[in-house]
């Protein structure tokens, strides 16, 4: 469905705006169902909550009977 990329793109745009306004870090890329962000250590917890909520909000468009979820993990590099 065409709404999938639009919904995800809305979440990505929301994250990019958040980082631009707050200067906590930057959105590096998104890969399928993952979002890679670079964050200053002192803002890690706050940004993790924001990213998890934003991804869950995007998923809720499709998951009408259950709440979507996401988990943020700290790492020095991207890993699958």
């Amino acid at each position: 469905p065409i709404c999938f990329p639009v919904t995800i793109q809305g979440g990505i745009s929301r994250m990019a705006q958040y980082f631009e306004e707050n200067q906590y870090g930057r959105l590096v890329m998104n890969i399928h169902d993952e979002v890679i962000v670079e964050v200053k250590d002192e803002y890690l917890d706050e940004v993790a909550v924001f990213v998890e909520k934003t991804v869950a909000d995007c998923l809720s468009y499709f998951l009408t009977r259950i709440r979507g979820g996401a988990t943020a993990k700290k790492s020095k590099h991207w890993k699958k």
Side-chain angles (χ1 to χ4, degrees):
I2 199 160
C3 59
F4 180 72
V6 172
T7 302
I8 298 303
Q9 185 58 44
I12 298 299
S13 296
R14 188 168 153 195
M15 284 184 226
Q17 180 180 4
Y18 172 83
F19 287 117
E20 186 176 318
E21 290 173 357
N22 296 307
Q23 302 295 309
Y24 293 162
R26 70 186 182 105
L27 177 63
V28 176
M29 71 177 98
N30 75 298
I31 303 167
H32 304 291
D33 62 343
E34 296 186 34
V35 178
I36 312 300
V37 297
E38 214 172 59
V39 180
K40 296 175 184 175
D41 284 338
E42 62 265 28
Y43 301 112
L44 186 62
D45 292 336
E46 180 180 340
V47 170
V49 169
F50 172 77
V51 170
E52 288 174 355
K53 182 181 180 333
T54 301
V55 171
D57 288 349
C58 288
L59 289 172
S60 70
Y61 181 85
F62 303 100
L63 304 175
T64 57
R65 295 177 192 239
I66 60 172
R67 176 85 174 133
T71 303
K73 296 179 182 175
K74 179 181 178 180
S75 177
K76 294 280 184 196
H77 54 67
W78 177 67
K79 53 187 169 182
K80 186 69 178 164

